[in-house]
Amino acid sequence: MSKDRRKGSVLHLHSVPGVWDLSQSARKGGQTCGSGRMGEPVQIVVFVMAFVTCNALLDLTGVHQVQGTWMGSVTLPCTYMPLDGFTQQTLIWSMERDHSTSTIFRRDYSGDHVLLSQFRNRVSVPKHSPGDASLLIENLEIPDSGHYTCQVIWRTKDNSVITREVTTTVKVVKVAATKPIIRAGELGLTVPTGARTSLTCVASGSPPISYRWFRGTPGQKALLLSRQAELVWDSLQPSDTGKYYCEVENRAGAGAVQQSDAVELTVTGMTATKQLSEGGSEEPPVATELLYEVAFHSTADVTRLEANGEVPVKCPHKDADSKTETSNDTFTVKNNGLDSIHMRKNPEYENLMNAMELEYETENV
């Protein structure tokens, strides 16, 4: 059998009668990718397919080094492309520090297991993302620095086992708080009276970070307002107009205080509820009307009634012959601004008035 030189990632072979055990060839590096039959020619396509599948598509992807912030979190990438016929059997994350290697995390058929107590409740691996074996470490400590190895073991349909691993170096550092910046709320820095707004102090560095808000200018006399990252107004007043700035510090900064630049907040005189849109106009006020209650007897007595709504007036009218109350008519009387009384007339009203006049004349005869 003769062999050509390897070009790129493709291995060229000339198949000739003879003895060739493909499984022995593929075990280079301690990995098994397939099996051949002794005494029979081996087709080139079989070897190429096995080579591509085992050595390219199932490679793990990671990074060589990451830097984590003390008391922060970091993700160590470890990903691959899932393939049909290859089932992830075991995932192991281990850590090497001071020439000693310990298993941190193991996932197998029985579930997830955190094997080092110092990482309990601080490490996790995605459960429902096939091909993603990345390790998340939270609340980083300085001793977490070291070399982390991700090892994935797959099993094929013919029960062959394939193993891959990738190593990442983690360095945990303490980072002093950076100079903060101020972010205004949705309304910006010019806000109408009565509106709700906020200013947020944003900085990075090793937590915990402490915040302080001041009214004034850095380097001059200023008024301490808050010790939270966000300064909030529920209802702005014109007196809130002024300059504001914030300060931050953390333990990693050895007491060094970082100050932001000052921003100027302007509160306009127009209230938020009455702020008009461009080209709009305000609705004129609605006048309150004074209503009157009118009762008719042998003579008309008028009683003034102040109210916020129309008052129905019921007037009994009697039959001209029987002098007996038969029904009630309802109408509305209100002030028109000229101190005069206007009543809505209708046919029934006219009949009522005529009947009352007739009754009055009859009684005087």
Side-chain angles (χ1 to χ4, degrees):
M1 172 175 292
S2 61
K3 300 180 182 179
D4 289 341
R5 288 188 175 182
R6 186 173 180 176
K7 299 178 181 179
S9 60
V10 179
L11 184 63
H12 298 273
L13 297 177
H14 292 291
S15 177
V16 296
V19 178
W20 178 259
D21 188 351
L22 181 60
S23 63
Q24 295 297 326
S25 173
R27 287 197 185 100
K28 184 178 181 180
Q31 297 155 4
T32 302
C33 297
S35 61
R37 298 180 61 184
M38 298 184 63
E40 293 185 6
V42 179
Q43 299 297 325
I44 180 64
V45 66
V46 175
F47 182 81
V48 171
M49 289 300 294
F51 177 81
V52 171
T53 299
C54 297
N55 294 278
L57 297 181
L58 283 178
D59 276 347
L60 295 177
T61 301
V63 295
H64 294 294
Q65 184 173 354
V66 297
Q67 180 172 292
T69 302
W70 176 60
M71 297 302 294
S73 61
V74 69
T75 298
L76 310 186
C78 181
T79 59
Y80 63 90
M81 180 68 69
L83 292 176
D84 291 338
F86 294 85
T87 303
Q88 178 180 305
Q89 178 175 308
T90 307
L91 166 64
I92 298 173
W93 273 98
S94 59
M95 174 190 179
E96 180 186 355
R97 179 179 173 85
D98 299 330
H99 308 290
S100 175
T101 302
S102 302
T103 299
I104 300 173
F105 177 91
R106 179 185 177 91
R107 173 177 290 170
D108 52 29
Y109 67 91
S110 63
D112 293 352
H113 310 278
V114 179
L115 304 179
L116 280 183
S117 59
Q118 70 188 69
F119 288 99
R120 295 259 170 87
N121 301 318
R122 294 203 298 128
V123 296
S124 61
V125 175
K127 288 186 176 182
H128 306 292
S129 300
D132 189 357
S134 303
L135 181 71
L136 171 65
I137 308 176
E138 299 179 286
N139 300 322
L140 284 167
E141 300 286 352
I142 297 299
D144 292 339
S145 298
H147 304 285
Y148 291 76
T149 299
C150 171
Q151 183 186 75
V152 181
I153 301 174
W154 297 271
R155 184 171 294 277
T156 65
K157 291 182 178 180
D158 61 358
N159 287 327
S160 298
V161 175
I162 301 173
T163 302
R164 289 287 186 273
E165 60 185 34
V166 62
T167 299
T168 301
T169 300
V170 176
K171 184 178 181 181
V172 181
V173 296
K174 293 184 177 182
V175 179
T178 60
K179 179 179 179 177
I181 61 173
I182 296 176
R183 291 180 181 171
E186 295 181 359
L187 298 178
L189 292 173
T190 301
V191 188
T193 298
R196 187 181 191 278
T197 192
S198 64
L199 297 175
T200 304
C201 187
V202 181
S204 61
S206 297
I209 299 177
S210 60
Y211 300 85
R212 289 184 294 273
W213 274 101
F214 296 88
R215 179 169 181 171
T217 303
Q220 300 180 6
K221 186 177 180 179
L223 176 65
L224 176 63
L225 300 176
S226 171
R227 295 182 181 275
Q228 303 296 324
E230 187 178 29
L231 185 62
V232 179
W233 291 267
D234 290 325
S235 180
L236 279 169
Q237 300 302 317
S239 59
D240 293 320
T241 296
K243 292 184 177 182
Y244 298 84
Y245 71 94
C246 66
E247 292 180 348
V248 299
E249 65 177 315
N250 63 356
R251 287 182 289 173
V257 177
Q258 298 288 341
Q259 289 182 338
S260 72
D261 296 327
V263 297
E264 186 165 3
L265 180 67
T266 301
V267 183
T268 62
M270 184 175 295
T271 61
T273 55
K274 290 187 177 180
Q275 190 176 24
L276 304 179
S277 59
E278 184 176 356
S281 61
E282 187 175 350
E283 292 293 332
V286 179
T288 302
E289 297 180 339
L290 300 179
L291 305 184
Y292 296 85
E293 179 181 354
V294 180
F296 292 95
H297 303 288
S298 59
T299 59
D301 296 326
V302 179
T303 303
R304 178 170 178 166
L305 175 66
E306 295 185 3
N308 292 327
E310 295 185 352
V311 178
V313 179
K314 294 185 177 180
C315 297
H317 65 95
K318 304 177 181 180
D319 185 86
D321 297 328
S322 64
K323 300 182 181 181
T324 306
E325 294 185 2
T326 57
S327 62
N328 291 317
D329 288 335
T330 301
F331 59 96
T332 302
V333 182
K334 52 186 176 180
N335 184 13
N336 66 351
L338 299 177
D339 293 330
S340 61
I341 299 177
H342 291 264
M343 295 179 290
R344 185 179 61 201
K345 295 184 178 181
N346 53 47
E348 293 184 35
Y349 168 76
E350 294 292 338
N351 293 335
L352 172 63
M353 296 301 296
N354 293 333
M356 292 177 64
E357 290 176 1
L358 180 60
E359 179 184 2
Y360 184 79
E361 293 175 357
T362 303
E363 290 177 352
N364 291 335
V365 173

